[in-house]
């Protein structure tokens, strides 16, 4: 949008707003068109105005009170508190002069909102502020608090960033020249790990995911000319918070990227948590750190969080919509509408096409779709997994066996996703009395990750939401769960003779606290090691899982040799990934049917096999590119 | 090669040179290591020294007399002339102080060289100059004269350029990081026209060909980030001088490229000719000109000409060798040895795998080869062509028919390649008396292109070389050939009632003088239009060839409608391209057998069909990428 086009937009906005509403200014902020008004209360009364604007002009709008009309915070706080009933349980109140939003954090935000939002509207009218009520996380999350705190702290800088991004999205387009859509595989193709794909159109360059390979620390091919200079990128889109999809993102900011990062709100918080944790982890291993905490803060400041199914302009010719991917909290399928319908492509990220204990199944209905890029972690011919029910049954059998012999169980897990599912299963087994109550220790960020889950209950599956909101039974709050907070406590658990269950990171045993328990317990035949997640080729987890009995480990610079007598078990079916059958079903039930499928995120022959099977079965053109290859989608 | 590495090289050179030879300096100039010496005559006596250096150090060396030892040109010229016999027929003598070369141009250079080069050596010894004898073109070529003249004129600038290129080739390499070899299709894939491929390694970026689509003026996709900025390119390699392979090269210099262009010597001259001609042509059509004559001069100054089978470093990790492609004069297969044997890939350009009237068949034996990129112009299942003998027979029949009815024949030809072949056939028919003698008019650069052919007889096929050098019978010098030099002369030929044959450009009737004859003759049933070359999809030539009888043409801004009564004939078998059978045979006889074949330079379904047939028959992995796709060779 050139200056002229932006002026045109302003006029159209004014034309679509009823007379009698005083508009102070209209501006761009990231992908939003922001309207400042002296009559904020009139918008509150007639929320239809914004809907009409969005439909008519195909933009996202945000209405804000003119800062000049905003009353002083202490007075406003008093007025708001006067109207809020005791049972709301207010835990904090935050004022943002730039947006005119006052966020009231409460245990029971419903009683602030009132029936049909009436009370909220009254408060808006009285104070002139845009009053918003949010749920206080039932388990306090340090990450959520810090992320939100930092964004508030650096709000001037963020305002500048958003303004710049807004201008860039609205830049003039090249009107001539042939349109095309291509993608370059920069990492995570014919392999699992370091996911990164560059989407290129005539106008735009967008990076989808920016991961590390956790088993080798390999990074995507960011030295190639396609993605250089990083400052030419329009946007980075993160499908979910696992390190193989976002682990290198802070380094982009270190090396010159200064643009927006689009992801869901839980993805922002989870990835900040995991990235900061990885710094500690890498530091502990004495390896070279690709970024520091400052880069993570930079990243957080550049995130533009977008919920599911909200279409957003992210460049002059690309619109992004996130859909539920069912893989982990906030995980999303990124759908791109390019060139106003010229081409539509979805990147599934990692998906689960089955309702799990945590999430609804991945979305596979889109308004338009011509190409789709899918994962194939379990895309091999024989990659069948038990259902969630069967997996839980098997886990029960193994935990029962351990409990019967007063043994200890160690479960290596990703902090995010598998941990919480396993927690739900164990909590249910102990609550129903099928398994004796014993402590379930959570070590290495799992507690914090769980806290983030409780901060975003709207991203959980339908039954869990009902259980939490309507039955007021939040399984994550069960007293069986104990947080391992200090090295001393870990030491104590390691040496205690009492039976217990430990969930600890990292999930592929490439480091982290799980290794401390493992080193201590591995020569004890009355202990169990339970794998519940994917073990990538070459990871230590995979080696142990395959049955190797002598393992050499690097222990703070020294090599130690371990003789494994521990019971090694694998419970399949807890994966956040679709198995072969679910992958095939996902494609067969996809609406609309795409004309091209690109397969990635799987070991070499699995990618090839899955691509070939899809072609054989559905006669849709498939590609399984190598890293560093570019294919044309249109 | 860093400064250190260059110092090391210098030392090695000195170590390999017999003591008693005084070396003044050693420097880099383009891909050459140049050795200046006060004892130039000692090198002349012992040519073995350079061979040993080249074998030992895997570099190309040039020995030059120290400029301080060079005598004044007038004295030297006198001394040389005194030693040259009358029958040599000297036509010019050119001195270059920078290289110490004096070039003696003569009708009979053999009598300057003397038996075993003795006389030349004596002259070198006496004068201190590096005396070289070259053949004066039997038909004076304006292009050859101007190109050589310009390079002499701008020799200071060229010396600077070569020095810069030399330093760049010898730059330090990144010692760590994974090696890879990839190619991006920037034009000419799944289509014929605008050939351009980017070869990328960990260290280098090389552009192979830089063509235009003559039927649509479309250009390669040079706006994509892979090739930007142009100044990052290490080299441009041109396989041959047709406009669909080099037509946009001068524009690269307009838009910031400042590096070397590697091609054979005849390719340099032919492309300058065709590019300068295209400026006139485009100007005449009132279209936008993508470059001007200054850019062509820039290009010429940056050309580093390399003959067949001389291996040359063109970047820190890439060595280039040209091999005969059999397509047109100087046409070559570009073979790249990457990373000191890490991978070997050959780009065939356009090839003819049959000995033609002009050239030997394309080379298909290489020392090493893992990937090959081949053309598929006639790669379709039914693209069979008659042999050269059958084609000549058919041409005879048609020309005889026309001659018998005193008709006129118009043959649209590419200035370069087909013209000269058709000339050879007609000359033979008239010389042998099978066809009555009549004027054969050459219009639109054909004369000049023929002159360039006579300047490089060593690039012609074995029998033609024998005929020219040993039997002293140069068919191009036959008096039947008449050059059309003015518009008046063309007008006269157009309106003359006498039978004649006209060879005129452009070959696909997309413009040029051929259109003048065509417009004049097309409603006369006693005229013949003979197609002998490839007519690309959408060209006017293809439309007429397909039998359309009413044609609308843009004639200097006005639209004119033509009603075709002319006899439209096609003589297949004169193509400079291999037909389907020859393409298959080329691959089946390829040594060594590659593990990957990439198919380009063919219409969409021909590329796909040929790739699939190759795989079916030889079980070698094949790819037929789309433009804008990148594939990994290794």
């Amino acid at each position: 949008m050139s200056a002229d086009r932006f002026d045109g937009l302003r006029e159209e906005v004014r034309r679509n707003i009823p007379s009698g509403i005083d508009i102070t200014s209209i501006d761009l902020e990231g992908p939003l068109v922001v309207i400042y008004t002296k009559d904020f209360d009139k918008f509150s009364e007639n929320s239809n105005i914004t809907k009409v604007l969005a439909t008519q002009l195909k933009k996202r709008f945000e209405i804000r009170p003119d800062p000049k009309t905003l009353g002083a915070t202490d007075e406003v706080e008093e007025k708001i508190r006067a109207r809020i009933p005791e049972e709301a349980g207010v835990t904090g109140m935050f004022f943002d002069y730039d947006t005119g939003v006052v966020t009231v954090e409460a245990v029971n935000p419903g009683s602030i909102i009132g029936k049909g939002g009436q009370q909220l509207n009254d408060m808006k009218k009285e104070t002139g502020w845009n009053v918003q009520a949010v749920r206080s996380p039932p388990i306090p999350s340090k990450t959520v608090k810090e992320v939100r705190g930092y964004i508030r702290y650096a709000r001037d800088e963020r305002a500048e960033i958003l303004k710049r991004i807004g201008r860039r999205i609205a830049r003039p387009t090249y009107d001539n020249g042939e349109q095309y859509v291509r993608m370059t595989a920069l990492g995570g193709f014919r392999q699992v790990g370091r996911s990164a794909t560059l989407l290129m159109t005539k106008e735009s360059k967008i990076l989808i995911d920016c991961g590390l390979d956790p088993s080798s620390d390999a990074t995507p091919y960011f030295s190639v000319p396609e993605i250089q200079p990083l400052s030419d990128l329009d946007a980075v889109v993160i499908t979910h918070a696992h390190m193989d999809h976002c682990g290198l993102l802070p380094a982009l900011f270190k090396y010159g990227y200064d643009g927006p990062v689009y992801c869901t709100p839980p993805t922002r918080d989870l990835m900040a948590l995991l990235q900061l944790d990885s710094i500690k982890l890498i530091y502990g291993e004495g390896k070279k750190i690709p970024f520091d905490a400052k880069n993570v803060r930079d990243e957080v400041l550049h995130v533009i969080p977008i919920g599911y199914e909200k279409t957003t302009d992210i460049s002059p010719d690309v619109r992004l919509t996130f859909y539920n991917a069912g893989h982990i909290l906030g995980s999303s399928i990124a759908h791109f509408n390019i060139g106003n319908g010229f081409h539509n492509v979805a990147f599934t990220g990692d998906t689960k096409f089955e309702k799990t204990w945590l999430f609804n199944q991945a979305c596979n209905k889109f308004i338009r779709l011509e190409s789709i890029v899918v994962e194939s972690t379990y895309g091999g011919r024989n990659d069948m997994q038990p259902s969630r029910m069967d997996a839980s049954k098997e886990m029960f059998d193994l935990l029962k066996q351990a409990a019967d012999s007063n043994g200890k169980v160690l479960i290596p897990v990703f902090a995010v996703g598998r941990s919480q599912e396993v927690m739900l299963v164990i909590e249910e087994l102990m609550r129903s009395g099928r398994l004796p109550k014993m402590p379930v220790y959570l070590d290495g960020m799992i507690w914090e990750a769980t806290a983030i889950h409780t901060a975003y209950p709207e991203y959980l599956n339908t039954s869990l939401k009902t259980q939490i909101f309507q039955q007021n039974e939040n399984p994550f709050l069960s007293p069986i769960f104990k947080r391992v907070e200090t090295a001393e406590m870990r030491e104590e658990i390691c040496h205690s003779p009492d039976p217990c269950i430990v969930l600890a990171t990292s999930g592929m045993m490439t480091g982290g606290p799980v290794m401390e328990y493992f080193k201590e317990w591995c020569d004890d035949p009355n202990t169990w090691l339970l794998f519940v997640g994917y073990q990538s080729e070459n990871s230590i987890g995979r080696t142990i899982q395959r049955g190797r009995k002598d393992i050499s480990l690097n222990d703070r610079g020294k090599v130690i040799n371990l003789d494994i007598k521990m019971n090694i078990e694998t419970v399949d079916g807890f994966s956040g990934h679709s198995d072969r059958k679910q992958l095939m079903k996902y494609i067969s039930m996809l609406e609309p049917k795409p004309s091209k499928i690109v397969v990635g995120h799987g070991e070499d022959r699995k990618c090839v096999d899955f691509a070939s099977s899809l072609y054989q079965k559905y006669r849709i053109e498939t590609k399984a590119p190598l890293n560093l290859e570019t294919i044309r989608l249109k």
Side-chain angles (χ1 to χ4, degrees), chain A:
Chain A
M1 205 182 316
S2 64
D4 288 353
R5 286 174 62 203
F6 184 36
D7 285 348
L9 177 76
R10 276 174 167 146
E11 259 172 54
E12 273 192 276
V13 170
R14 288 183 194 273
R15 212 177 307 131
N16 277 279
I17 289 178
S19 60
I21 294 188
D22 190 346
I23 303 297
T24 324
S25 70
I26 299 167
D27 216 334
L28 299 171
E29 194 182 288
L32 293 179
V33 181
V34 178
I35 302 175
Y36 288 93
T37 173
K38 287 192 176 130
D39 299 308
F40 183 68
D41 53 337
K42 290 187 187 156
F43 276 96
S44 314
E45 280 168 5
N46 187 354
S47 64
N48 212 27
I49 302 173
T50 349
K51 275 186 203 152
V52 169
L53 279 176
T55 316
Q56 290 272 340
L57 307 179
K58 291 198 172 162
K59 300 264 161 212
R60 285 180 61 204
F61 289 90
E62 194 170 286
I63 316 296
R64 295 179 185 165
D66 183 340
K68 292 197 202 92
T69 66
L70 295 172
T73 55
D74 43 358
E75 284 171 32
V76 172
E77 176 157 357
E78 209 170 296
K79 283 181 191 167
I80 291 174
R81 287 206 184 261
R83 283 184 177 266
I84 294 176
E86 195 67 34
E87 74 264 23
V90 173
T91 54
M93 213 180 286
F94 310 99
F95 290 84
D96 181 352
Y97 264 98
D98 298 314
T99 60
V101 169
V102 50
T103 310
V104 186
E105 218 177 65
V107 177
N108 181 9
S111 64
I112 300 177
I113 295 165
K115 213 169 175 182
Q118 190 52 47
Q119 188 161 267
L120 213 57
N121 277 341
D122 290 348
M123 284 191 273
K124 286 180 186 179
K125 217 163 190 170
E126 191 188 347
T127 64
W129 281 77
N130 183 0
V131 186
Q132 306 276 346
V134 299
R135 183 178 321 275
S136 331
I139 307 175
S141 158
K142 199 169 159 267
T143 312
V144 172
K145 198 171 154 228
E146 285 182 358
V147 164
R148 290 179 186 172
Y150 182 65
I151 292 172
R152 272 194 293 272
Y153 163 78
R155 66 169 178 274
D156 289 348
E157 193 182 336
R158 183 165 159 86
E160 272 311 302
I161 292 169
L162 290 176
K163 200 159 197 167
R164 186 163 42 74
I165 293 168
R167 297 284 162 186
R168 187 156 177 189
I169 294 171
R171 72 179 178 266
T173 55
Y174 305 101
D175 285 330
N176 43 25
E178 188 189 332
Q179 286 210 70
Y180 58 79
V181 181
R182 346 183 257 157
M183 54 166 274
T184 301
L186 294 176
F189 286 80
R190 306 274 194 104
Q191 70 178 177
V192 175
R194 59 165 168 171
S195 285
T197 310
L198 187 65
L199 181 67
M200 293 185 274
T201 75
K202 182 167 71 83
E203 305 286 343
S204 318
K205 279 164 75 172
I206 292 155
L207 179 66
I208 296 137
D209 287 339
C210 184
L212 274 172
D213 185 341
S215 60
S216 72
D217 296 330
T219 58
Y221 294 88
F222 284 156
S223 62
V224 298
E226 286 93 320
I227 197 170
Q228 291 293 343
L230 293 174
S231 54
D232 273 4
L233 280 177
D234 284 279
V236 178
V237 173
I238 300 293
T239 59
H240 65 282
H242 277 154
M243 290 297 277
D244 61 329
H245 292 255
C246 73
L248 203 70
L249 181 55
L252 282 197
F253 289 89
K254 184 172 170 184
Y255 293 111
Y257 181 61
D258 197 23
V261 174
Y262 297 94
C263 63
T264 61
T267 299
R268 177 193 59 193
D269 298 351
L270 287 173
M271 74 182 178
L273 169 70
L274 294 175
Q275 289 158 350
L276 290 169
D277 185 46
S278 82
I279 295 177
K280 277 187 263 171
L281 223 67
I282 297 171
Y283 187 77
E285 290 167 1
K287 286 194 281 191
K288 218 181 120 201
I289 298 170
F291 54 81
D292 60 26
K294 189 205 161 293
N295 306 127
V296 178
R297 284 197 300 273
D298 255 1
E299 165 198 296
V300 163
L301 218 53
H302 285 77
V303 166
I304 297 179
I306 303 176
Y308 291 149
E309 303 186 27
K310 291 192 192 330
T311 300
T312 306
D313 285 323
I314 62 168
S315 87
D317 65 341
V318 180
R319 288 200 181 99
L320 165 69
T321 318
F322 285 129
Y323 294 90
N324 171 43
H327 175 65
I328 63 164
L329 186 74
S331 68
S332 54
I333 296 168
H335 177 281
F336 300 89
N337 173 328
I338 295 160
N340 219 352
F342 171 70
H343 192 74
N344 291 269
V345 54
F347 288 74
T348 68
D350 294 355
T351 52
K352 182 68 178 175
F353 196 53
E354 175 190 15
K355 187 181 169 187
T356 62
W357 299 117
L358 279 169
F359 309 112
N360 289 328
Q361 73 174 18
C363 168
N364 69 340
K365 310 262 175 289
F366 305 92
I367 297 166
R368 285 192 54 181
L369 189 77
E370 285 89 41
S371 305
I372 190 163
V373 184
V374 298
E375 62 132 324
S376 60
T377 319
Y378 292 110
R381 210 162 279 274
N382 305 314
D383 286 344
M384 296 308 177
Q385 297 255 340
S387 72
R388 273 303 191 261
M389 295 308 281
D390 292 343
S392 307
K393 168 84 179 60
E394 202 185 333
M395 172 159 285
F396 165 68
D397 292 343
L398 286 164
L399 293 177
K400 184 83 177 42
Q401 190 188 342
D404 287 349
S405 56
N406 279 326
K408 291 180 280 196
V409 181
L410 176 60
I411 310 182
V413 276
F414 278 124
V416 173
R418 257 16 67 209
S419 319
Q420 287 73 34
E421 280 222 272
V422 173
M423 284 168 73
L424 289 178
V425 172
I426 296 174
E427 193 272 340
E428 208 280 325
L429 289 174
M430 293 191 183
R431 183 156 39 89
S432 65
R434 296 172 66 204
L435 210 61
K437 282 208 167 60
M438 65 179 101
V440 179
Y441 295 108
L442 309 178
D443 200 347
M445 290 295 142
I446 300 172
W447 187 273
E448 180 58 24
T450 306
I452 298 176
H453 279 70
T454 66
Y456 293 104
E458 64 274 30
Y459 284 83
L460 301 174
N461 74 27
T462 323
S463 11
L464 208 51
K465 271 191 276 190
T466 308
Q467 190 184 346
I468 294 171
F469 292 139
Q470 285 166 31
Q471 296 154 19
N472 212 11
E473 255 185 24
N474 192 331
F476 295 118
L477 305 180
S478 164
I480 59 165
F481 298 120
K482 317 261 181 224
R483 182 179 191 176
V484 182
E485 296 187 73
T486 60
E488 291 72 37
M489 183 174 174
R490 185 179 302 138
E491 193 77 1
E492 215 170 276
I493 300 163
C494 274
H495 294 100
S496 157
D498 300 332
C500 68
I501 300 172
V502 174
L503 272 62
T505 56
S506 74
M508 296 186 199
M509 303 184 72
T510 49
V514 70
M515 298 315 287
E516 303 306 314
Y517 299 94
F518 176 69
K519 280 184 279 189
E520 212 53 60
W521 294 353
C522 68
D523 63 351
D524 178 354
N526 199 32
T527 60
W528 276 257
L529 182 66
L530 235 71
F531 288 104
V532 294
Y534 177 75
Q535 303 300 308
S536 86
E537 211 56 66
N538 304 324
S539 63
I540 300 177
R542 170 73 69 108
T543 311
I544 297 169
Q545 190 181 32
R546 282 205 177 131
R548 180 126 169 216
K549 291 295 167 205
D550 56 316
I551 296 276
S552 295
L553 288 180
N554 193 327
D555 187 32
R556 294 179 190 82
K558 279 190 304 185
V559 174
I560 55 167
N561 297 304
L562 299 176
D563 181 20
I564 302 175
K565 299 201 182 101
M566 201 171 189
N567 301 283
I568 311 294
E569 302 283 355
T570 297
V571 180
D572 284 329
F574 271 103
S575 172
H577 295 275
S578 300
D579 72 352
R580 163 80 172 210
K581 223 167 67 186
Q582 289 164 352
L583 284 171
M584 293 297 279
K585 197 169 153 197
Y586 183 83
I587 297 294
S588 82
M589 293 177 67
L590 203 52
E591 283 178 21
K593 190 174 155 178
S595 52
K596 194 174 263 182
I597 302 174
V598 182
V599 177
H601 203 286
E603 288 158 15
D604 195 5
R605 78 205 143 68
K606 293 197 181 180
C607 283
V608 175
D609 180 69
F610 183 52
S612 146
S613 303
L614 281 177
Y615 176 73
Q616 295 299 332
K617 188 141 184 196
Y618 304 115
R619 292 286 151 184
I620 299 172
E621 184 189 350
T622 57
K623 296 238 179 189
L626 291 162
N627 284 333
L628 289 176
E629 291 194 326
T630 299
I631 60 179
R632 198 159 165 178
L633 300 176
K634 167 120 181 180

